[in-house]
Amino acid sequence: MDRRRLLRLGGGMVAAAGLSTTIGCSPEAKPKARPRPRPTETFEPPIPPTAPSGTTYEGIMVSPKAPDLTVGWTVTRPYGVPDKQRLPVVIALHGLGGNRYTFRDVTLLPAYLTDHVRRGGEPFAVATMDAFASWYHPRTTGGEAGTDFGAVVTDTLIPTLAIRKDLRLDVERVGLYGFSMGGYGALRLAGLLGPDRVFAVAASSPALFDTWKDVRYDAFEDEAAFDDYGTTFRQGELRDIPVRIDCGADDEFAEATRHYISGLLTKPEGGIHPGRHDAQFTMRYLPETLDFFGKWAVAAS
């Protein structure tokens, strides 16, 4: 498919993958009505790189943290890097309505990954997995009741990547990246794991909420869950981890993201830029995000 045509797919492929302006909400997670913000600045759509995608491995895993569910995963290594070379890995967490293929099919991350290496960046692999509408924390209600997909990442995915010797990955310390629901998940899990296990974390358009009253999309079942698993006032957990956060000025989560950034002890890379909550915004800052991970992957090795 022509890459420019892909970028014009507004309500089909992009929305289905959880990268639309309303983060691809499912019928089970209807948002509260809210007026759509008017653009404050023009935004130049990104032009994807023409680099090849590299090698992708796939598998499935069963986790005690997600009983009765089969979870698919992928690992992509950048094109041109020797198969025998051991690589750091960044775990990319998809948004609501997405799956393990979202970053490949919608934001073309594998091509960006190869382009990053061709531009002189430190090579690393990217791993993804299915997380459904879990919000990467323990759930007691909804379609993911009885699961904890945050623990699936930490207790099942990472060990699975370590066991698969053919992947040639260094998982002693990982990078964490996510869009929307996955951006929240990456920030939460980085705080839980700490700097001994995370070398860097980045979030694109993170779905953050300042208070329980602000919560939408069935992100938390009740106020107690928000207090237990929300990111509000937990910025100190990222004290010794390099952070990058990018959010569009016309994103519905821009205000909460500004508040979150202001609470970090060290100013993160990235910031609030022109743009909305969509795939084009994520793609616009993918090269800088991958360079950010490459820089800290060098420091971690």
Side-chain angles (χ1 to χ4, degrees):
M1 182 182 293
D2 180 76
R3 294 172 187 270
R4 293 180 182 274
R5 181 170 178 269
L6 176 62
L7 288 175
R8 293 196 295 269
L9 295 179
M13 186 177 190
V14 171
L19 280 157
S20 69
T21 55
T22 56
I23 66 170
C25 296
S26 65
E28 293 80 20
K30 296 180 181 178
K32 299 175 183 177
R34 170 171 290 207
R36 179 171 295 179
R38 301 178 64 181
T40 57
E41 300 182 61
T42 58
F43 177 75
E44 193 68 24
I47 299 176
T50 56
S53 297
T55 305
T56 296
Y57 300 80
E58 296 192 45
I60 58 174
M61 57 188 181
V62 177
S63 172
K65 300 298 183 179
D68 303 322
L69 289 174
T70 299
V71 179
W73 58 265
T74 74
V75 169
T76 299
R77 293 171 59 92
Y79 179 85
V81 175
D83 290 340
K84 293 183 179 180
Q85 183 175 343
R86 189 172 172 83
L87 296 179
V89 62
V90 172
I91 298 172
L93 308 179
H94 66 72
L96 190 63
N99 57 44
R100 64 188 182 276
Y101 299 123
T102 297
F103 289 104
R104 181 196 70 183
D105 294 341
V106 180
T107 60
L108 310 179
L109 192 152
Y112 278 96
L113 185 61
T114 295
D115 178 68
H116 159 75
V117 175
R118 288 183 168 181
R119 290 186 288 104
E122 181 74 8
F124 57 88
V126 173
T128 68
M129 73 170 204
D130 297 321
F132 308 93
S134 65
W135 286 88
Y136 303 100
H137 65 74
R139 305 291 305 200
T140 58
T141 62
E144 285 70 45
T147 69
D148 178 357
F149 271 84
V152 174
V153 174
T154 60
D155 300 350
T156 305
L157 177 62
I158 293 177
T160 297
L161 301 182
I163 292 171
R164 285 286 300 265
K165 302 302 181 184
D166 58 315
L167 301 177
R168 297 164 301 282
L169 300 178
D170 179 359
V171 299
E172 190 71 23
R173 296 176 72 208
V174 301
L176 289 169
Y177 173 58
F179 168 80
S180 192
M181 176 184 81
Y184 149 79
L187 295 171
R188 174 179 180 262
L189 294 181
L192 287 177
L193 293 175
D196 290 340
R197 296 187 64 191
V198 176
F199 65 77
V201 60
S204 176
S205 309
L208 304 179
F209 307 98
D210 284 328
T211 69
W212 161 243
K213 292 182 180 180
D214 299 321
V215 170
R216 300 181 301 284
Y217 307 108
D218 193 32
F220 303 93
E221 293 98 330
D222 51 36
E223 189 169 4
F226 175 77
D227 291 340
D228 287 340
Y229 310 122
T231 56
T232 304
F233 306 126
R234 288 193 169 90
Q235 293 92 325
E237 295 175 351
L238 303 180
R239 179 183 294 105
D240 298 316
I241 299 174
V243 179
R244 180 182 177 95
I245 299 175
D246 295 289
C247 188
D250 297 304
D251 191 311
E252 63 178 301
F253 298 108
E255 183 178 5
T257 299
R258 284 192 184 95
H259 296 162
Y260 183 86
I261 290 173
S262 68
L264 289 167
L265 301 179
T266 302
K267 184 178 179 180
E269 292 192 25
I272 307 297
H273 321 278
R276 294 194 177 195
H277 196 91
D278 56 23
Q280 292 190 11
F281 179 85
T282 295
M283 295 168 75
R284 169 65 182 81
Y285 293 97
L286 255 183
E288 295 177 29
T289 300
L290 297 179
D291 290 349
F292 164 78
F293 280 118
K295 174 176 62 179
W296 291 107
V298 171
S301 60

